[in-house]
């Protein structure tokens, strides 16, 4: 402004013409439009919390300590609200999934970051993307028609597995999360500085030693993030658990039994058009709150590990 | 040279060499097993239902008679629901990404909060989106019922964070010098973004959006809560129309233990996989095409 005061002609040229004013107006309108679009994502989160909490607290006020019981039968009369079977069912299925997915997912990540040539990487990456793109309903179908009758029923050593089994659901959920572990861990391992690898090679380490002792350690926080995010994904998986492990909330430690997870209960109870305010309607929000809270904590934790990793190497 | 390399190799003890070889074998088996699984699942589905594959399967409506049963209403339902979800999520997602990358200014507490929110929204289990749909959209304040519109909003919310994250990456990949050049010539921020950043970010955004949309196409859990698991023998006619979707039509046949319904479920899975593979292939070709075009 001080420069404009010095010469009269400059004042003329710097005064905004109608054209300039119009483009500034367009910009401010567009920025406001974008800012309000940004708020929609916040609104979704607020909406989720608002949809879950009031109903959850209302129900908790009614049933209080019953949630610590061992029988989950909210849709029957008399209703029972012990969540233990849902917790064990969820835990067993997620555990089996992790046992399957950790070695294979990490193997894929190490293969991509340290073993594959550029061309091989270009082939293997899309394969993992295709695996990630198989819909859960197809994995569930495979678990129900192939894994349960042909694998679990024939070879499971404990008890007498029937059409629905937790171990089948765990296996299919494991396949679901392999690509998640592989891609997040590969991102981490691939961004470990080359110099670290070269230093280890110079000391006489073999490729395996470089990959497992140097790269895996250097990228550990990224690998931990991959495992946490995969755990969260398995935890919230609905369709596979519902199709393969069935919808009977059995309190059992035998993975050959049918089980219900928290997520699959929501899907199961939601199928019947529950009446607003009925106990069936309220329990799905209670279970939803637990599901949402646990996955939220896991995701915050996982993303924090990822950002710690990025700060270190990028 | 040959002698040095052999002498170097011989210094690696047999024990280490065995471990190296078994580790490489383990890695290769893991990769091959993942690939083999994809083929095996398709093989089993085809083995079960391959003989059913014909245009009739796409043309016929659901029926309890296997000879006249098909998936037309569920395929049309999926197209309607996912189509409207895309119309909602892509514009909102792209605008959010543009705002955060180009207009929100330096990182401050507000943008950090929004980023955290988007990251966590991307990790919310799909079935929870069904709960918000049930509480606020199908029932409650909006009371839109179990309609195409409700389902489209729910799936739109589900893919919104994915589209935001993907678009932001595409925007970040545009060299800042493009925009800086335009700003130096006196363009406003929006003109620079509109004429230079957006066109360069379109391929990445389009590829990512197609992948997100194909995820919505295969998603089943949230719509279980919105009444999509029903026997629907008509195509949707509008946003207020009842509907079912292909993944849940498969689910419905699968939950019946009779043999012929298992065959129908497998046939539906083959159709779903074909649609999703076609979408993914299109996304990959689009990415390659635009990359090649830019290199010339």
């Amino acid at each position: 402004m001080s420069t404009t005061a010095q010469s009269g002609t400059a004042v003329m040229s710097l005064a905004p013409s109608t054209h300039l004013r119009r483009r500034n107006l367009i910009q401010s309108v567009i920025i406001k439009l974008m800012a309000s679009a940004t708020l929609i994502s916040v609104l979704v989160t607020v909406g989720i919390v608002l949809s879950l909490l009031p109903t959850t607290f209302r129900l908790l006020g009614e049933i209080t300590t019953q949630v610590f019981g061992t029988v989950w039968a909210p849709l029957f009369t008399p209703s029972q609200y012990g969540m233990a079977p849902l917790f064990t069912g969820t835990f067993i299925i997620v555990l089996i999934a992790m046992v399957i997915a950790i070695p294979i997912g990490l193997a894929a990540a190490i293969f991509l970051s340290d073993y594959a040539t550029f061309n091989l990487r270009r082939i293997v990456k899309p394969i993992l993307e295709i695996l990630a793109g198989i819909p859960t309903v197809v994995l569930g179908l495979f678990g129900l028609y192939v894994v349960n009758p042909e694998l679990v029923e024939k070879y499971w050593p404990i008890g007498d597995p029937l059409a629905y089994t937790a171990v089948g659901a765990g296996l299919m959920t494991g396949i679901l999360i392999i690509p998640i572990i592989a891609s997040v861990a590969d991102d981490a391992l691939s961004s470990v500085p080359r110099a670290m690898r070269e230093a280890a090679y110079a000391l006489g380490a073999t490729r395996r030693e470089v990959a497992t002792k140097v790269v895996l350690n250097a990228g550990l926080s990224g690998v931990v993030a991959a495992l946490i995010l995969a755990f969260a994904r398995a935890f919230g998986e609905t369709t596979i658990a519902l199709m393969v492990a069935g919808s009977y909330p059995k309190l059992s430690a035998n993975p050959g039994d049918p089980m219900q997870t928290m997520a699959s209960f929501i899907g199961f109870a939601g199928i019947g058009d529950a009446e607003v305010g009925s106990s069936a309607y309220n329990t799905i929000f209670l279970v939803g709150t637990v599901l949402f809270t646990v996955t939220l904590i896991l995701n915050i934790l996982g993303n924090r590990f990822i950002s710690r990793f990025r700060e270190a190497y990028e | 040279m040959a002698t040095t390399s052999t002498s170097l190799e011989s210094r690696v003890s047999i024990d280490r060499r065995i471990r190296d070889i078994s580790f490489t074998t383990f890695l290769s088996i893991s990769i091959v097993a993942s690939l083999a699984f994809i083929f095996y699942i398709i093989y089993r589905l085809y083995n079960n239902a391959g003989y059913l594959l014909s245009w009739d399967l796409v043309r016929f409506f659901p029926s309890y008679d296997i000879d006249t049963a098909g998936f037309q209403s569920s395929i049309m339902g999926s197209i309607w629901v996912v189509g409207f979800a895309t119309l909602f999520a892509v514009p909102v997602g792209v605008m959010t990404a543009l705002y955060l990358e180009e207009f929100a200014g330096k990182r401050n507490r507000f943008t950090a909060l929004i980023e955290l929110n988007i990251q966590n929204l991307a990790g919310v289990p799909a079935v929870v989106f069904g709960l918000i749909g049930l509480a606020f959209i199908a029932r409650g304040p909006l009371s839109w019922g179990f309609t195409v519109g409700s389902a489209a909003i729910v799936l739109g919310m589900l893919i919104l964070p994915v589209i935001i994250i993907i678009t932001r990456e595409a925007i970040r990949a545009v060299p800042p010098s493009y925009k800086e050049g335009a700003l130096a010539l006196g363009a406003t921020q929006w003109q620079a973004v509109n004429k230079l950043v957006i066109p360069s970010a379109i391929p990445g955004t389009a590829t990512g959006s197609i992948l997100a949309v194909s995820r919505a196409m295969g998603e089943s859990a949230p719509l279980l809560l919105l009444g999509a698991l029903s026997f629907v023998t008509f195509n949707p006619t509008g946003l207020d129309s009842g509907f079912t979707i292909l993944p849940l039509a498969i689910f419905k046949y699968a939950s019946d233990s009779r043999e012929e319904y298992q065959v129908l479920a497998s046939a539906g899975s083959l159709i779903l996989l074909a649609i999703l593979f076609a979408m993914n292939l299109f996304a990959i070709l689009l990415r390659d095409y635009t990359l090649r075009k830019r290199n010339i």
Side-chain angles (χ1 to χ4, degrees):
Chain A
M1 277 305 159
S2 61
T3 48
T4 55
Q6 281 164 8
S7 82
T9 50
V11 174
M12 290 294 290
S13 65
L14 280 176
S17 66
T18 36
H19 168 70
L20 286 177
R21 245 181 297 157
R22 214 188 70 202
R23 60 174 220 178
N24 284 342
L25 185 73
I26 290 176
Q27 164 151 322
S28 71
V29 168
I30 283 171
I31 289 180
K32 282 192 185 107
L33 198 71
M34 288 179 174
S36 33
T38 305
L39 288 178
I40 289 182
S41 67
V42 181
L43 215 66
V44 174
T45 308
V46 173
I48 290 175
V49 173
L50 283 182
S51 70
L52 293 175
L53 289 187
T55 321
T56 301
F57 284 127
R58 207 177 319 133
L59 183 66
L60 275 181
E62 288 169 28
I63 63 176
T64 58
T65 54
Q66 285 186 53
V67 288
F68 301 113
T70 54
V71 179
W72 178 254
L75 309 183
F76 296 106
T77 39
S79 303
Q80 286 181 282
Y81 299 97
M83 286 185 74
L86 295 189
F87 279 112
T88 54
T90 309
F91 182 72
I92 287 172
I93 289 176
V94 172
L95 196 72
I96 295 168
M98 294 298 279
V99 167
I100 299 294
I102 289 175
I104 301 180
L106 286 186
I110 291 172
F111 184 83
L112 285 170
S113 73
D114 278 81
Y115 279 74
T117 59
F118 179 75
N119 279 326
L120 205 52
R121 208 182 142 85
R122 265 184 34 189
I123 300 169
V124 172
K125 267 256 173 198
I127 290 174
L128 290 170
E129 277 167 23
I130 290 176
L131 190 62
I134 296 180
T136 51
V137 71
V138 176
L139 291 176
L141 200 70
F142 187 79
L144 182 65
Y145 291 168
V146 179
V147 176
N148 274 350
E150 293 177 16
L151 220 61
V152 184
E153 274 184 42
K154 281 189 189 151
Y155 302 110
W156 187 251
I158 319 158
D160 186 20
L162 296 170
Y164 299 108
T165 71
V167 63
L171 278 170
M172 298 320 290
T173 310
I175 287 167
L176 176 79
I177 59 175
I178 285 173
I180 299 175
I181 295 183
S183 92
V184 180
D186 168 46
D187 282 347
L189 299 183
S190 294
S191 55
V192 168
R194 222 184 132 83
M196 280 189 166
R197 292 186 171 86
E198 279 162 2
Y201 279 125
L203 291 172
T206 65
R207 193 188 284 260
R208 169 187 59 86
E209 285 159 343
V210 172
T212 57
K213 294 185 179 160
V214 178
V215 179
L216 204 58
N217 274 327
L220 193 64
S221 58
V223 171
V224 172
L227 301 189
I228 295 174
L229 295 179
F231 188 97
R233 180 74 179 80
F235 195 82
E237 177 46 40
T238 308
T239 311
I240 293 177
L242 189 55
M243 292 177 84
V244 189
S247 42
Y248 175 52
K250 185 172 180 179
L251 184 64
S252 160
N254 176 8
D257 284 337
M259 287 182 197
Q260 194 167 45
T261 68
M262 289 185 240
S264 76
F265 167 75
I266 297 176
F268 170 69
I271 292 173
D273 178 10
E275 201 180 311
V276 180
S278 66
S279 73
Y281 183 86
N282 289 344
T283 45
I284 56 177
F285 289 91
L286 167 71
V287 178
T289 303
V290 179
L291 199 64
F292 177 73
T293 313
V294 174
T295 47
L296 183 69
I297 293 169
L298 288 173
N299 280 307
I300 290 176
L301 210 64
N303 286 320
R304 188 159 293 180
F305 272 106
I306 287 183
S307 51
R308 184 192 293 178
F309 181 79
R310 289 215 172 119
E311 273 161 28
Y313 293 118
E314 280 169 16
Chain B
M1 280 311 271
T3 48
T4 25
S5 81
T6 46
S7 71
L8 267 177
E9 266 173 32
S10 64
R11 279 184 217 160
V12 178
S13 70
I14 295 195
D15 173 50
R16 277 169 82 200
R17 225 183 295 169
I18 291 174
R19 275 199 236 168
D20 283 356
I21 292 169
S22 37
F23 189 67
T24 313
T25 316
F26 165 66
L27 295 187
S28 317
I29 289 175
S30 299
I31 297 288
V32 172
S34 306
L35 174 66
F37 178 78
I38 299 171
F39 282 112
Y40 186 64
I41 205 170
I42 294 170
Y43 163 75
R44 287 303 297 260
L45 290 172
Y46 188 80
N47 209 19
N48 193 8
Y51 73 93
L52 261 188
L53 290 184
S54 71
W55 287 113
D56 285 346
L57 204 60
V58 182
R59 227 175 49 217
F60 287 157
F61 285 94
S63 155
Y64 286 116
D65 175 13
I66 190 168
D67 294 323
T68 58
F71 291 92
Q72 184 178 331
S73 57
S74 54
I75 293 171
M76 291 308 288
S78 277
I79 292 172
W80 273 79
V81 170
V82 173
F84 279 106
T86 310
L87 285 182
F88 159 61
V90 170
V92 173
V94 169
M95 281 198 284
T96 305
L98 278 173
Y99 181 76
L100 289 175
E101 285 300 317
E102 300 290 348
F103 297 103
K106 277 209 168 130
R107 264 185 72 98
N108 54 39
R109 202 173 285 177
F110 173 70
T111 54
L113 195 74
I114 298 222
E115 269 174 35
L116 186 71
N117 171 56
I118 290 165
Q119 254 179 11
N120 290 314
L121 208 55
V124 171
V127 74
V128 172
F129 286 92
L131 288 177
I132 178 181
L134 187 62
F136 288 149
I137 299 161
R139 302 269 175 264
L142 216 60
S143 285
W144 204 349
F146 293 162
T147 56
V148 169
S150 301
I153 295 179
V154 167
L155 284 190
M157 291 191 295
L158 180 76
I159 58 173
L160 178 62
V162 186
I163 288 174
I164 295 173
I165 291 168
I166 286 165
T167 309
R168 291 186 70 180
E169 269 165 26
I171 294 171
R172 259 183 243 149
V174 179
S177 54
Y178 287 21
K179 199 180 64 186
E180 283 157 6
L183 291 178
L185 293 173
T188 63
Q189 181 87 4
W190 166 246
Q191 285 174 319
V193 168
N194 186 28
K195 295 275 192 285
L196 294 159
V197 177
I198 293 180
S200 322
I202 280 179
T205 307
T207 309
S209 299
I210 295 171
L211 295 177
V213 168
S214 77
R215 188 188 151 195
M217 199 85 177
E219 191 60 72
S220 43
L223 299 190
L224 274 175
L225 296 164
L226 291 187
L229 190 71
S230 43
F231 207 73
V232 176
T233 51
F234 53 87
N235 292 334
T237 49
L239 284 172
D240 290 329
S241 179
F243 71 103
T244 186
I245 53 167
L246 186 52
L248 288 179
I250 297 167
F251 185 104
K252 186 146 185 76
Y253 283 127
S255 47
D256 195 308
S257 58
R258 271 171 288 181
E259 189 90 20
E260 59 262 40
Y261 292 153
Q262 298 196 359
V263 176
L264 275 174
S266 302
S269 299
L270 285 170
I271 297 175
L272 182 60
L273 285 177
I275 294 173
L276 296 184
F277 285 163
M279 288 174 80
N280 281 313
L281 190 68
F282 181 68
I284 291 167
L285 291 179
L286 187 72
R287 183 170 56 193
D288 276 4
Y289 172 76
T290 44
L291 279 180
R292 229 180 310 134
K293 213 171 135 197
R294 200 178 298 169
N295 286 343
I296 293 168

